[in-house]
Amino acid sequence: LAKTTQPISMDSYEGQEVNITCSHNNIATNDYITWYQQFPSQGPRFIIQGYKTKVTNEVASLFIPADRKSSTLSLPRVSLSDTAVYYCLVGDILTGGGNKLTFGTGTQLKVEL
Amino acid sequence: DTGVSQDPRHKITKRGQNVTFRCDPISEHNRLYWYRQTLGQGPEFLTYFQNEAQLEKSRLLSDRFSAERPKGSFSTLEIQRTEQGDSAMYLCASSHRGARGYEQYFGPGTRLTVT
């Protein structure tokens, strides 16, 4: 299993861009990188997923360098409602094997006024 | 699409009692996962089903835990002879092969407190 390392916490202010980096040095060839967001007392929610280079959707961007040993989730212009825990997952999602998807401890993002 | 639902949302039980949780996945999702989450930690995989077949179980899943998914629809997770260490949030997720591979949709969870 590819282990991931993320900062435990980050603080930001409304309107700022937030970048959360995840290290996954032993990522395998078939592994994808997926980010989830979790609010208190709720299940995690899918944010974005990628394999290499850059992926962008309506809420975030995901930057993956060529060696794929790290990835950066970028949240543009955060608001108070973005305060949550963000998890970086690395796994072979194409086969969907549950044991291949591992959540780390996540990054607690706190956004203030 | 009404999302993944779980019942009950909260359960308080005494040590040694049996408890059962239910998960209703998004309709037509063929994969269903159970996770356990303790305070300050990320969700921890327990087991998953493809249709009615239980394909994988974590080594963390003791013999006191059993899960079923009859007819490939809803699933139940039973914990026998509960222990205080079983206190956690139990999350269910479902998925299907879509444009984003096996993206998992999580339910709100069942919070179990063993006293």
Side-chain angles (χ1 to χ4, degrees), chain A residues 32-109:
Chain A
Y32 279 66
I33 299 154
T34 309
W35 286 80
Y36 281 81
Q37 173 193 57
Q38 186 176 27
F39 298 111
S41 298
Q42 294 186 25
R45 183 176 73 100
F46 175 96
I47 300 176
I48 198 166
Q49 179 178 282
Y51 183 80
K52 61 180 179 180
T53 63
K54 177 183 175 182
V55 180
T56 297
N57 63 20
E58 61 278 6
V59 299
S61 294
L62 178 60
F63 298 91
I64 306 168
D67 66 5
R68 303 199 327 122
K69 292 184 183 300
S70 66
S71 59
T72 299
L73 174 71
S74 181
L75 304 172
R77 299 179 298 281
V78 294
S79 65
L80 293 175
S81 63
D82 293 315
T83 294
V85 178
Y86 292 81
Y87 294 99
C88 167
L89 257 72
V90 175
D92 183 358
I93 63 145
L94 293 182
T95 62
N99 255 341
K100 297 183 180 70
L101 301 179
T102 303
F103 287 83
T105 53
T107 297
Q108 172 67 64
L109 172 65

Side-chain angles (χ1 to χ4, degrees), chain A residues 18-40:
Chain A
V18 171
N19 296 310
I20 306 175
T21 297
C22 177
S23 297
H24 27 81
N25 290 319
N26 58 340
I27 188 169
T29 301
N30 293 334
D31 287 344
Y32 279 66
I33 299 154
T34 309
W35 286 80
Y36 281 81
Q37 173 193 57
Q38 186 176 27
F39 298 111

Side-chain angles (χ1 to χ4, degrees), chain B residues 1 3 7 21 25 29 38 50 53 61 87 91 109:
Chain B
D1 180 355
D7 183 68
F21 310 140
H29 276 194
T38 54
Q50 180 162 310
L61 206 63
S87 294
L91 293 161

